[in-house]
Amino acid sequence: MALTIAIDGPAASGKGTISRAVAERFGFAHLDTGLLYRATGLRTLDGTDPLSAAMSLKPEDLEADNLRTPDVAQAASRVAAIPEVRAALIDFQRAFARRAGGAVLDGRDIGTVICPEADVKLYVIAKDEVRARRRLVELLAKGHETDFETVLRDLQARDAQDSARATAPLKPAQDAILIDTTDLSIEEAVEAACAEVSKKHQI
Ligand code: CDP
């Protein structure tokens, strides 16, 4: 049975890890929609206009290995506030959501704008300090020189910008199920998400 699963939430809340695991468990395809904004943001760093950058994205752009840097995250959040950029990326996301084999999409506006008809909508949160700690570990593992305070400040600034924008702001859909991963292990968070999907997934 092919379902569409929407997983939203603030930065480093655990939605990416949960989305990948849910997709694998149920055999659905997964799209990390943050990569679309990161790849667009990355292109603007050399002066490319944000809308041209979004309109000319190619699949291989989503695989660039510098998409996870803090600078690119901030650039992603800046271009993501531009309504025309978001509009340019909608069709691709909606087509992905409707694929025959089922799809998991994670981002900020999947349950509210991209797939308001999704079969399951999850909104993943965690305390700021816990999210910053997780992101710090990821960045240090990739060789970035940074510290807890910087990561916390960047993440809070990005959440504030994503929540305050007029178009598709970060917020839970009215019918989203909240998963707070603050005190959950990865396994527990994945199980909580899979339990919600299983309620809708009749084989
Ligand atoms: O991994 P993390 O949660 O830190 O970020 P991400 O999901 O890769 O998203 C990077 C940025 O893209 C966010 O801060 C948002 O500004 C933007 N974004 C968005 O506006 N809408 C989405 N569906 C996904 C990401």
Side-chain angles (χ1 to χ4, degrees):
M1 187 190 172
L3 300 182
T4 302
I5 316 295
I7 305 187
D8 292 302
S13 56
K15 61 191 184 308
T17 305
I18 290 175
S19 301
R20 279 190 297 278
V22 167
E24 193 170 330
R25 176 86 58 97
F26 293 92
F28 300 155
H30 170 229
L31 177 64
D32 171 356
T33 65
L35 290 179
L36 300 171
Y37 295 93
R38 284 176 181 263
T40 304
L42 173 63
R43 285 196 173 189
T44 65
L45 294 180
D46 67 8
T48 304
D49 155 73
L51 183 56
S52 326
M55 288 175 69
S56 59
L57 278 188
K58 294 185 208 57
E60 57 267 31
D61 294 334
L62 306 186
E63 277 153 35
D65 51 12
N66 50 352
L67 293 179
R68 297 279 173 201
T69 67
D71 286 353
V72 172
Q74 299 299 339
S77 184
R78 281 197 297 277
V79 300
I82 303 171
E84 293 79 8
V85 166
R86 305 198 69 85
L89 299 173
I90 283 184
D91 288 350
F92 173 74
Q93 295 176 80
R94 291 203 173 135
F96 191 98
R98 285 195 221 100
R99 6 172 94 206
V104 181
L105 287 85
D106 74 279
R108 301 290 185 288
D109 62 337
I110 308 303
T112 50
V113 174
I114 302 297
C115 307
E117 310 304 325
D119 300 286
V120 180
K121 297 182 191 175
L122 305 178
Y123 194 81
V124 182
I125 57 165
K127 260 170 70 176
D128 291 7
E129 288 72 15
V130 170
R131 296 188 290 123
R133 179 69 53 199
R134 290 178 189 157
R135 184 53 49 93
L136 176 67
V137 169
E138 281 170 21
L139 290 170
L140 293 178
K142 284 184 187 153
H144 294 288
E145 278 183 31
T146 186
D147 56 67
F148 178 77
E149 289 305 328
T150 306
V151 174
L152 178 63
R153 213 176 37 241
D154 283 1
L155 185 141
Q156 288 174 329
R158 191 148 57 88
D159 287 347
Q161 179 161 290
D162 290 345
S163 305
R165 69 184 175 219
T167 307
L170 166 66
K171 66 170 183 198
Q174 276 189 349
D175 51 350
I177 298 149
L178 204 69
I179 297 183
D180 185 343
T181 67
T182 303
D183 297 315
L184 300 184
S185 65
I186 291 178
E187 292 73 21
E188 288 168 335
V190 167
E191 284 317 312
C194 286
E196 294 302 332
V197 177
S198 294
K199 290 180 191 166
K200 297 282 173 76
H201 189 259
Q202 291 117 22
I203 299 172

